[in-house]
């Protein structure tokens, strides 16, 4: 496998190739691993019962309905809805199904490090991107887009997102053909959990699997 050049502080933009409106999207789609993950899954959840203890709603409302986890932002919180999946990780892969509707215009899969926010994979109706978060302790810090691609994510449609993390590299891909690759030295660190962040009144999540 050819490795990306070592990048310490730069932006990597990845264009979408060959994506069309006819691309297939569905729940729990099987996606090839790009960074070589082949281990057994260490976490699998399809939300058929009560919310597992590893899944902790920090902000907003998170409830299981019709076999999916449904998220809703609460105005009283004055903050986006946030769910923590309390599984520490460093080199791993996570796959999940998602569907947004109503006033929800996408979501973020966010990863922290011990010092705070680290990076996120953002999905909107027209794009997917990987962004390095700003350091809230540094007033001069700014968020940096590491990779982005145009893509179509329609409301009311299920999609599958897979994010692989290996050292300083990240590959995010969806079953509609969208893929973003990014690399930054800061990504190569321990992460305490996985976080799902959304704004709006309807985000459905299902079929979460984690590999290490």
């Amino acid at each position: 496998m050819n490795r990306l050049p070592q990048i310490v502080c730069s932006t990597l933009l990845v264009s979408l190739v060959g994506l069309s409106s006819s691309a297939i999207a569905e729940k729990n789609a099987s996606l090839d691993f790009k960074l070589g993950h082949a281990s057994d899954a260490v976490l699998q959840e399809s939300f058929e019962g009560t919310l597992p203890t590893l899944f902790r709603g920090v902000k907003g409302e998170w409830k299981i309905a019709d076999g999916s986890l449904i998220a809703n932002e609460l105005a009283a919180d004055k903050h986006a809805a946030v769910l923590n999946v309390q599984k520490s990780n460093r080199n791993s892969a996570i796959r999940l199904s998602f569907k947004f509707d109503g006033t929800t215009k996408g979501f973020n899969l966010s990863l922290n490090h011990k010092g705070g926010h680290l990076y996120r994979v953002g999905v909107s109706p027209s794009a997917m991107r990987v962004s390095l978060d700003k350091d809230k302790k540094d007033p001069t810090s700014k968020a940096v887009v590491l990779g982005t691609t145009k893509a179509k994510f329609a409301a009311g449609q299920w999609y599958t997102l897979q994010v692989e993390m290996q050292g300083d590299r990240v590959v995010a891909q969806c079953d509609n053909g969208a893929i973003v690759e990014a690399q930054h030295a800061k990504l190569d660190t321990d992460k305490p959990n996985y976080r799902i962040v959304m704004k709006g009144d309807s985000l459905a999540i299902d079929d979460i699997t984690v590999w290490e």
Side-chain angles (χ1 to χ4, degrees):
M1 180 185 300
N2 294 329
R3 295 186 60 84
L4 292 173
Q6 296 298 314
I7 299 173
V8 175
C9 188
S10 65
T11 299
L12 175 65
L13 298 181
V14 180
S15 298
L16 182 65
V17 178
L19 176 64
S20 70
S21 60
S22 61
I24 296 173
E26 60 185 356
K27 287 185 66 177
N28 205 23
S30 179
L31 296 170
D32 292 336
F33 292 109
K34 304 298 184 181
L35 296 180
H37 288 280
S39 65
D40 293 334
V42 296
L43 174 65
Q44 290 181 295
E45 181 56 49
S46 297
F47 305 108
E48 296 297 333
T50 59
L51 192 63
T53 56
L54 285 179
F55 293 75
R56 184 167 65 90
V58 180
K59 297 288 185 180
E61 179 184 53
W62 299 83
K63 62 182 181 181
I64 295 177
D66 299 324
S68 299
L69 180 61
I70 309 299
N72 178 26
E73 183 184 18
L74 298 179
D77 287 340
K78 298 181 180 179
H79 192 282
V82 180
L83 177 82
N84 283 351
V85 182
Q86 297 296 108
K87 183 75 175 69
S88 60
N89 63 95
R90 186 176 185 120
N91 297 317
S92 70
I94 181 170
R95 180 187 296 164
L96 59 86
S97 301
F98 68 90
K99 175 172 68 75
F100 54 83
D101 215 333
T103 61
T104 302
K105 302 300 181 185
F107 76 104
N108 291 308
L109 177 67
S110 171
L111 282 297
N112 285 354
H113 62 113
K114 65 179 181 180
H117 291 173
L118 179 60
Y119 84 97
R120 64 193 58 220
V121 178
V123 177
S124 71
S126 60
M128 183 170 70
R129 67 177 55 188
V130 176
S131 301
L132 195 69
D133 291 332
K134 68 178 181 180
D135 182 352
K136 291 187 175 181
K137 298 177 182 179
D138 180 0
T140 66
S141 175
K142 296 182 179 179
V144 178
V145 177
L146 300 179
T148 186
T149 186
K150 294 180 180 179
K152 182 178 180 181
F153 296 97
Q157 169 69 54
W158 280 101
Y159 297 90
T160 299
L161 169 68
Q162 181 170 287
V163 179
E164 299 170 66
M165 294 158 272
Q166 188 72 27
D168 62 355
R169 300 179 64 191
V170 171
V171 176
Q173 59 175 316
C174 279
D175 59 326
N176 65 354
I179 185 168
V180 177
E181 300 185 25
Q183 187 172 22
H184 196 285
K186 288 185 176 181
L187 302 178
D188 189 10
T189 187
D190 292 331
K191 307 163 188 75
N193 51 32
Y194 305 89
R195 303 168 72 242
I196 298 172
V197 183
M198 61 82 70
K199 292 184 177 182
D201 62 5
S202 183
L203 173 70
I205 298 292
D206 207 350
D207 303 314
I208 291 181
T209 303
V210 174
W211 297 266
E212 292 179 348

